[in-house]
């Protein structure tokens, strides 16, 4: 029995994170804990805090690059903290953080609830999407968040109004792990919602390498511009470092085109940043979270 085992939390040692990221890259976590309810999550989180361990929160693994050496401390995974059926009240959906965003969008089509259509095709969990204020174009998930529940690190949970959160471009001021969120949507004709979701997904499939292993857009768009346009304009489509490759389809995607490791991705990222700085005098910032990082 490990210190973080519990009735509704499984804990494992030295688990390869490559299997839990969409990049398919990453060394082992010292401890990987997967709670399946909110209070077990809060208990496991508190146990890790008491031990003074570095803590990383893993949602759907779709926006992280994990180092080849792996992660010291504990990775708290949201994978089992999910919902299989919607809990809806007056067009407000309450959903646990580990639920895939795609599942929630599927519910909204069935239920005829508008508001998330532009987020269709974004991989990952609802909690991860909210933490990063995921979005497409002008729309981001923060616009729909009525409330969130977070783990306080002492074994408890607290509620925060969506309006009290600072929602930036692919960033928020949410410092505590999110265990559940409430999304406020608008009733609409299910067929209209379905058709908008389909439109978003077809546009994404046409423009982005959705079948390749990646972490989505690698760099943030600089104000008023597009990282994809700049990387493309710098002639970097198809550029490789080992098996990491700048997607020939959309230049802001770095894809794992074989057996890339984190070192390959970072080397390629460096080439891209230098070249874009040289050609356009713009410094590109990562959108993808690189682990290890400072504990949350
Ligand atoms: N462009 C190029 N070459 C490329 C890619 C894009 O010239 O290789 C040009 C396009 O032709 C277009 C402009 O750049 O004129 C913008 O491209 P796009 O419409 O693909 O949007 P984006 O700004 O690159 C953003 C988000 C995506 C989101 C799309 C769709 C960021 C960093 N990216 O991409 O989000 O799916 O809009 O709305 O905000 C993500 O966050 O992981 C992500 C992929």
């Amino acid at each position: 029995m490990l210190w973080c085992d519990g009735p509704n939390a499984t804990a494992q040692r030295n688990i390869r994170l490559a299997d839990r990221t969409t990049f398919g890259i990453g060394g082992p976590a010292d401890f990987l804990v997967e709670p399946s309810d909110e209070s077990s999550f809060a208990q496991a989180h508190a146990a890790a805090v008491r031990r003074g361990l570095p803590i990383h929160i893993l949602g759907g693994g779709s926006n992280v690059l994990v180092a080849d050496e792996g992660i010291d401390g504990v990775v708290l995974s949201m994978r089992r903290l999910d919902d299989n059926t919607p809990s809806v009240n007056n067009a407000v959906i309450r959903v646990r953080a580990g639920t895939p965003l795609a599942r929630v969008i599927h519910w909204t089509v069935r239920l005829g609830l508008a508001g998330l259509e532009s987020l269709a095709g974004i991989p990952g969990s609802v909690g991860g999407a909210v933490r990063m204020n995921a979005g497409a174009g002008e729309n981001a998930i923060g616009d729909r968040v009525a409330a969130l529940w977070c783990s306080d690190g002492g074994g408890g949970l607290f509620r925060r109004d969506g309006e009290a959160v600072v929602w930036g471009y692919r960033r928020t001021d949410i410092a505590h792990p999110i265990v559940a969120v409430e999304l406020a949507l608008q009733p609409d004709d299910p067929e209209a919602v379905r058709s908008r979701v389909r439109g978003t997904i077809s546009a994404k499939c046409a423009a982005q390498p959705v079948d390749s292993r990646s972490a989505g857009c690698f760099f943030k768009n600089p104000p008023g511009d597009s990282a994809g346009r700049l990387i493309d304009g710098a002639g970097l489509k198809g550029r490789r470092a080992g098996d990491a490759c700048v997607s020939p389809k959309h230049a802001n995607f770095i894809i794992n085109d074989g057996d890339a490791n984190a070192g390959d991705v970072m080397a390629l990222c460096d080439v891209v940043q230098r070249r874009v700085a040289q050609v356009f005098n713009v410094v590109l910032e990562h959108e993808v979270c690189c682990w290890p990082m400072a504990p949350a």
Side-chain angles (χ1 to χ4, degrees):
M1 176 113 170
L2 289 171
W3 58 271
C4 41
D5 264 322
N8 292 313
T10 53
Q12 295 168 279
R13 292 214 66 164
N14 294 320
I15 296 297
R16 216 172 80 100
L17 294 174
D19 300 330
R20 293 169 191 260
T21 65
T22 54
F23 242 141
I25 291 176
D30 277 353
F31 294 98
L32 178 79
V33 189
E34 294 189 317
S36 59
D37 65 46
E38 291 158 50
S39 87
S40 305
F41 183 94
Q43 295 305 321
H45 181 206
V49 169
R50 277 196 304 275
R51 287 180 171 244
L53 294 172
I55 298 167
H56 291 77
I57 310 298
L58 185 65
S62 60
N63 203 42
V64 286
L65 176 65
V66 178
D68 300 316
E69 302 72 42
I71 300 291
D72 289 336
V74 56
V75 171
L76 291 172
S77 159
M78 310 307 287
R79 194 167 68 149
R80 296 177 61 220
L81 193 63
D82 67 340
D83 286 306
N84 286 309
T85 48
S87 153
V88 196
N89 188 5
N90 284 332
V92 175
I93 295 191
R94 184 186 197 275
V95 61
R96 297 196 294 179
T99 309
L101 181 59
R103 193 182 296 166
V104 178
I105 291 178
H106 179 75
W107 295 340
T108 65
V109 169
R110 238 183 44 217
L111 296 164
L113 292 173
L116 299 179
E117 298 90 320
S118 62
L119 306 178
I122 295 182
S125 61
V126 172
V130 170
R131 170 67 178 75
M132 295 300 294
N133 196 17
E138 296 296 296
N139 305 300
I141 197 164
D143 307 338
R144 302 289 158 194
V145 176
L148 40 122
W149 281 261
C150 295
S151 166
D152 64 12
L157 300 172
F158 66 94
R159 180 183 186 282
R160 194 168 169 199
D161 276 341
E163 279 178 2
V165 173
V166 178
W167 302 103
Y169 167 65
R170 304 293 184 271
R171 54 167 291 279
T172 65
D173 65 346
I174 301 167
H176 293 83
I178 303 168
V179 297
V181 302
E182 251 179 33
L183 300 167
L185 305 170
Q186 285 110 33
D188 197 353
D189 169 23
E191 274 317 309
V193 180
R194 184 190 311 278
S195 131
R196 290 193 293 267
V197 164
R198 284 203 175 137
T200 307
I201 291 177
S202 346
K204 221 177 173 80
C205 290
Q208 300 179 2
V210 291
D211 295 329
S212 301
R213 285 175 299 160
S214 78
C217 282
F218 199 90
F219 299 99
K220 294 185 181 188
N221 281 341
D225 210 335
S226 155
R229 189 190 73 78
L230 296 173
I231 301 166
D232 192 354
L236 291 162
K237 271 188 171 170
R239 175 68 73 93
R240 301 180 73 93
D243 275 343
C245 175
V246 174
S247 165
K249 192 163 182 186
H250 191 302
N252 197 12
F253 282 67
I254 292 183
I255 60 178
N256 177 358
D257 190 29
D259 196 18
N261 58 32
D264 297 333
V265 174
M266 291 316 289
L268 186 57
C269 165
D270 202 48
V271 169
V272 168
Q273 282 174 315
R274 280 168 200 268
R275 187 79 190 130
V276 167
Q278 239 171 27
V279 177
F280 295 107
N281 202 22
V282 171
V283 178
L284 292 178
E285 266 181 57
H286 295 181
E287 197 223 286
V288 170
C289 304
C290 297
W291 289 5
M293 59 179 183

